[in-house]
Amino acid sequence: MRLNSRRGVKLTGSTTVTQAAGPVNYAFQTPSSARIPFAESQAGEAGTWQNPTSSQKAHCQGDGVSDDYRSSHRTPGYGELYNKTHESGYYGALWEKIERSLVLDVLRPMGGAGRTCLDFACGTGRITNIAAELFGEVVGVDVSESMLACAQVPQNVRLRHIDMTTQPLGETFDVITAFRFFLNAEDRLKWEALKAINEQLKDDGRFVCNVHMNATSPIGLVCRLLNRLSGRTIRNTLSAARFNEFLSSSGFVVEAMIPYGYLPRPGSLLPGVCEALIEPVEKASRTLRVPGQLAQHFLVVAKKR
């Protein structure tokens, strides 16, 4: 089933964002049943925030845990394994049928030939390449040589092997993106990254990022239960309320929070079923105004306070 419905949604001022798969559920612009609440952290989520043991390792699916998130992504060959994970199955279908068009629609009104974009923790360059279509100049930064080695980017992109939290780039950007990063980063690294991003974002710029395991989604609830039963963090989760706390404390104001990915990820099971159902389930969920807190993922647009 192809999603052909497109609808403009006001973001700020005269900016309009469109998205496939029916009405976009913005946190501040939809009926209360479709909003992701910000008021407080979700009850029972504390179990997902304890420090992991040294034996826990990051997974390419992006919801595993690590003592040091920087180091876990520097493993030789990690870039190839990461790309393979996102070529098929749930994450492949999510990217091709939902996420890519959503990112394009959100970034397009912010772009332009004279505009600049920084892709923080750019990895193998999926978001970097989307930004390259929309901005005159794009910089991608990552601490992992393995990830950057797999990135194939056009001429208007500069890739930098650098830890921006300790080595500022010395320039500011109109837009900064950061995808598939904050869920797994330890709390201290979250603060360091958000501080660095805030410092290198222009005063009128925008920060666009995502969280790919919403703590209030069905799979997020299962992960939290498993964490609680095991007494340790097996899988990371992060709620909209908790992430809003990080953003607010780091000098950001959330303008929009867009839930997506309503089909629960069944792990490595039934990849063909995921590919077939992810798009119609997304369309049906938006048509039926399924509450945004049930989506597995959410995208955030924020500005400097």
Side-chain angles (χ1 to χ4, degrees):
M1 178 185 295
R2 250 191 108 69
L3 306 184
N4 297 315
S5 173
R6 305 185 72 85
R7 177 179 176 181
V9 180
K10 287 288 184 182
L11 187 62
T12 56
S14 60
T15 302
T16 299
V17 174
T18 60
Q19 185 194 356
V24 178
N25 293 334
Y26 284 113
F28 301 119
Q29 298 166 313
T30 57
S32 58
S33 63
R35 294 177 185 171
I36 296 181
F38 290 143
E40 58 185 3
S41 297
Q42 300 299 319
E45 191 182 351
T48 67
W49 292 97
Q50 53 191 293
N51 292 327
T53 65
S54 60
S55 62
Q56 295 171 317
K57 299 179 180 179
H59 297 269
C60 287
Q61 286 87 352
D63 54 4
V65 296
S66 173
D67 286 323
D68 186 344
Y69 189 58
R70 292 181 178 94
S71 297
S72 69
H73 278 58
R74 290 171 171 165
T75 305
Y78 189 89
E80 291 89 345
L81 187 58
Y82 180 91
N83 276 344
K84 184 177 180 180
T85 300
H86 293 82
E87 288 175 356
S88 61
Y90 177 88
Y91 281 118
L94 180 77
W95 174 250
E96 291 296 333
K97 299 183 179 182
I98 298 173
E99 198 169 33
R100 190 180 194 282
S101 62
L102 171 60
V103 175
L104 271 169
D105 286 344
V106 169
L107 292 182
R108 185 178 289 111
M110 304 177 188
R115 306 269 290 172
T116 59
C117 178
L118 168 68
D119 188 16
F120 176 82
C122 67
T124 59
R126 289 187 305 155
I127 303 299
T128 313
N129 278 297
I130 287 182
E133 300 176 28
L134 307 173
F135 293 84
E137 183 179 0
V138 178
V139 176
V141 301
D142 205 289
V143 300
S144 171
E145 287 184 285
S146 173
M147 299 283 271
L148 290 172
C150 294
Q152 298 182 8
V153 296
Q155 292 184 346
N156 65 328
V157 174
R158 288 183 288 133
L159 295 178
R160 299 285 305 276
H161 178 224
I162 188 173
D163 185 345
M164 205 176 79
T165 65
T166 60
Q167 299 172 274
L169 291 175
E171 54 185 312
T172 57
F173 299 84
D174 297 298
V175 175
I176 297 180
T177 59
F179 278 69
R180 301 185 67 82
F181 172 81
F182 289 102
L183 174 69
N184 301 319
E186 56 270 27
D187 284 2
R188 180 176 178 178
L189 181 54
K190 287 184 180 71
W191 297 119
E192 293 172 351
L194 287 169
K195 179 182 177 182
I197 289 168
N198 190 282
E199 290 176 349
Q200 298 193 199
L201 183 66
K202 292 182 179 179
D203 288 341
D204 59 347
R206 292 296 182 272
F207 176 42
V208 181
C209 60
N210 83 325
V211 169
H212 55 285
M213 182 56 78
N214 178 15
T216 62
S217 67
I219 296 300
L221 292 170
V222 170
C223 291
R224 288 163 55 194
L225 177 61
L226 293 175
N227 290 341
R228 185 173 294 277
L229 292 175
S230 66
R232 61 189 179 91
T233 304
I234 300 174
R235 290 288 185 271
N236 287 323
T237 68
L238 182 56
S239 70
R242 177 62 170 159
F243 191 45
N244 187 59
E245 292 174 5
F246 277 103
L247 290 165
S248 179
S249 299
S250 302
F252 290 98
V253 176
V254 174
E255 292 186 311
M257 189 165 284
I258 310 169
Y260 66 98
Y262 285 86
L263 179 69
R265 178 175 69 87
S268 59
L269 301 175
L270 306 174
V273 173
C274 286
E275 293 173 4
L277 292 182
I278 196 166
E279 195 172 23
V281 167
E282 190 79 4
K283 182 176 181 180
S285 297
R286 296 192 181 282
T287 299
L288 296 173
R289 294 181 175 270
V290 174
Q293 55 263 42
L294 297 180
Q296 183 177 320
H297 316 264
F298 56 88
L299 181 148
V300 177
V301 180
K303 65 178 182 179
K304 279 190 175 184
R305 185 178 296 109

